[in-house]
Amino acid sequence: MSSPASPSLDVATPERVSLSLPVAGIGYRCLAYLVDLALLFAFWVLAYFVFTLLVSDVVGFFQGLSGLVRTLMVVGVFATQWVYWTLCEVLLGGQTPGKRLVGIRVVRVDGSPVGVLESAVRNLLRVVDSFPLIYAVGCLSILLTRQHRRLGDLLAGTLLVREERIDLDKYTAAAAPSVVPPPAGATARLASGDVELILSFLARAPWLEPAARTRLGARLVERYGGLDAHQRATLLAAPGGAESFLRARVQAER
């Protein structure tokens, strides 16, 4: 169970393996936001520079615009930022350049990838979150909610989680002589989500009940091993065979 100081999102996979995703706090979010803000600022500086090359009297140009056109320009500036955050989160798997640099990601509350609708809603609510100044409403919401969610996240059903890089080397151990190696060319490559699932099991295996540890290891070998019944039986009969095989299976993807 996660402590209040370290909230997490618990996700159950189809294999009934529980994954705990650490929730990103206000510090991570602020760093990612500042990076994205710097990129947007650089974009507008570049756009202004190009505009000055085309229009000699910039001040006079803006003074000559009607009130409606000025309003539309302000809306356009907001729309550009909204499109930036939304498109990045949808196309980059829940990340913007800032989020990727910091190592956080937007997901739905069930842990699944964020969609267009959720991303559009959470980023549209940035207007409310930014009131009255320097994201005061958003910061208050993040500090007061258990999973550090701002109003946009609450309405869209999303939250930010931290990406934890798992060091495979610390799970590496000498395989038992009777362990069957991964069959060369007979097994399809693992998707990144499958690799994370296996690594999560290997990380949690020492703390699982022996029966649950054996059962889950057998299920993962059956699902990702590409072995026939005899090979699988030989593998599972060896002490620690399933886990050694899964380590080798993941290492083959590196």
Side-chain angles (χ1 to χ4, degrees):
M1 183 179 296
S2 302
S3 65
S6 180
S8 63
L9 173 66
D10 295 322
V11 179
T13 70
E15 289 78 16
R16 297 184 180 179
V17 176
S18 177
L19 299 179
S20 185
L21 307 175
V23 172
I26 190 169
Y28 286 92
R29 300 180 71 131
C30 286
L31 285 175
Y33 176 74
L34 289 174
V35 171
D36 288 321
L37 203 61
L39 290 175
L40 284 168
F41 179 75
F43 167 78
W44 286 117
V45 168
L46 179 61
Y48 179 78
F49 175 73
V50 172
F51 185 74
T52 58
L53 296 179
L54 302 174
V55 179
S56 57
D57 185 9
V58 176
V59 176
F61 175 82
F62 282 107
Q63 287 179 341
L65 296 177
S66 65
L68 176 60
V69 174
R70 291 180 186 178
T71 302
L72 290 176
M73 289 183 67
V74 172
V75 173
V77 170
F78 168 76
T80 301
Q81 299 181 68
W82 176 67
V83 169
Y84 165 81
W85 266 293
T86 302
L87 276 184
C88 285
E89 289 177 356
V90 172
L91 297 179
L92 300 180
Q95 293 183 308
T96 59
K99 291 183 179 71
R100 176 163 291 187
L101 183 65
V102 175
I104 60 178
R105 183 184 302 273
V106 181
V107 297
R108 295 188 177 115
V109 289
D110 62 357
S112 60
V114 69
V116 177
L117 179 61
E118 294 87 3
S119 181
V121 170
R122 73 182 301 275
N123 288 307
L124 188 62
L125 264 290
R126 285 184 184 276
V127 179
V128 179
D129 283 317
S130 62
F131 288 155
L133 289 172
I134 57 172
Y135 269 75
V137 171
C139 289
L140 228 106
S141 177
I142 292 169
L143 292 172
L144 295 179
T145 54
R146 188 177 66 85
Q147 292 183 320
H148 304 322
R149 300 165 71 190
R150 61 179 179 82
L151 293 182
D153 290 315
L154 293 171
L155 188 61
T158 59
L159 72 159
L160 266 71
V161 296
R162 301 199 310 271
E163 290 189 320
E164 291 189 329
R165 303 298 179 186
I166 301 176
D167 182 10
L168 183 60
D169 293 336
K170 73 179 182 180
Y171 302 119
T172 303
S178 58
V179 172
V180 181
T187 306
R189 288 188 63 83
L190 297 173
S192 59
D194 298 330
V195 172
E196 291 296 330
L197 177 62
I198 293 174
L199 290 177
S200 178
F201 165 72
L202 293 174
R204 296 171 185 278
W207 293 276
L208 294 174
E209 292 291 331
R213 182 175 180 173
T214 301
R215 184 175 65 254
L216 291 174
R219 286 182 180 175
L220 291 174
V221 168
E222 181 178 0
R223 183 179 179 93
Y224 302 115
L227 306 176
D228 59 35
H230 176 71
Q231 288 177 314
R232 194 162 56 248
T234 302
L235 173 71
L236 298 178
E243 290 166 34
S244 294
F245 176 85
L246 291 171
R247 290 189 194 100
R249 181 75 177 90
V250 173
Q251 283 178 323
E253 300 292 322
R254 300 182 71 181

